[in-house]
Amino acid sequence: MSIEIKAVKRDVKGTGASRRLRRAGNVPGVVYGGEQPAVSIEFDHKELFLQFRHEAFHASILSLVLDGKAESVLLRDYQLHPVRNTIQHIDFQRVSASEKIHVKVPFHFVNEEAAPGVKLGGGSISHIQTEADISCLAKDLPEFIEIDLSNLETGHSVHLSEVKLPKGVEFVQLAHGDDAAIATILKPRGGDDSAAAEVEAPAAE
């Protein structure tokens, strides 16, 4: 199901105008890309933030309704207030159905507790990457990519090339020859050293 966000055109621009918008409970923004010119827009902050706080909002094709007309867009940039955590500005890019897009998509790690390196080896999982840049058509964009760790042993890692991606989706990093690690299982700290200490300790006299 597509996430819908509503906006209206913003006629007044500039720092002062944006400040007044925020005080009124609105968020200034821009939509650009495609064959159309960039348009300054504004949103109701409360309505926008209800969608913004969901993970899917950041890695999905969104339906932007402007002047009663819906168009497909991607979230491209935003600024948050450092203290109040409110949205200060937000940018969207129009999406073409026939052109590939580059988007950062989050990883969802599953079966961590079942991994032999954790269950049997007592190791701990380290998430080296929590998201990755992918390339695909808009219709093929996944909200997240699942990483199954059920077979991961202590000291071993899962790499990009080992992940089964949906049809039409590819890792940009891997396409450039970088088969980076995503997650690894670290050995238990001090496990071997403590065991050796017990063996080598002299008997009490």
Side-chain angles (χ1 to χ4, degrees), residues 134 136 140-142 144-146 163-170:
I134 65 168
C136 64
D140 297 324
L141 177 63
F144 60 86
I145 296 172
E146 188 172 277
V163 178
K164 185 177 181 181
L165 291 172
K167 185 178 179 182
V169 178
E170 66 175 354

Side-chain angles (χ1 to χ4, degrees), residues 82-163:
V83 178
R84 294 194 293 269
N85 202 38
T86 53
I87 306 170
Q88 300 293 286
H89 194 279
I90 195 161
D91 293 348
F92 295 95
Q93 180 183 356
R94 298 183 185 98
V95 172
S96 168
S98 60
E99 295 180 4
K100 285 191 173 184
I101 54 178
H102 283 199
V103 189
K104 285 191 179 296
V105 174
F107 290 137
H108 281 191
F109 297 93
V110 298
N111 297 321
E112 295 189 350
E113 297 302 319
V118 173
K119 190 174 182 179
L120 303 178
S124 60
I125 292 176
S126 173
H127 298 155
I128 301 171
Q129 298 188 60
T130 57
E131 61 181 11
D133 193 7
I134 65 168
S135 173
C136 64
L137 293 175
K139 67 179 181 66
D140 297 324
L141 177 63
E143 290 185 12
F144 60 86
I145 296 172
E146 188 172 277
I147 309 298
D148 187 357
L149 302 179
S150 60
N151 295 317
L152 197 59
E153 301 278 356
T154 305
H156 291 199
S157 302
V158 174
H159 290 77
L160 293 174
S161 61
E162 300 174 74
V163 178

Side-chain angles (χ1 to χ4, degrees), residues 8-19:
V8 296
K9 286 186 178 179
R10 175 166 52 99
D11 297 322
V12 183
K13 304 174 186 177
T15 304
S18 294
R19 193 179 296 118

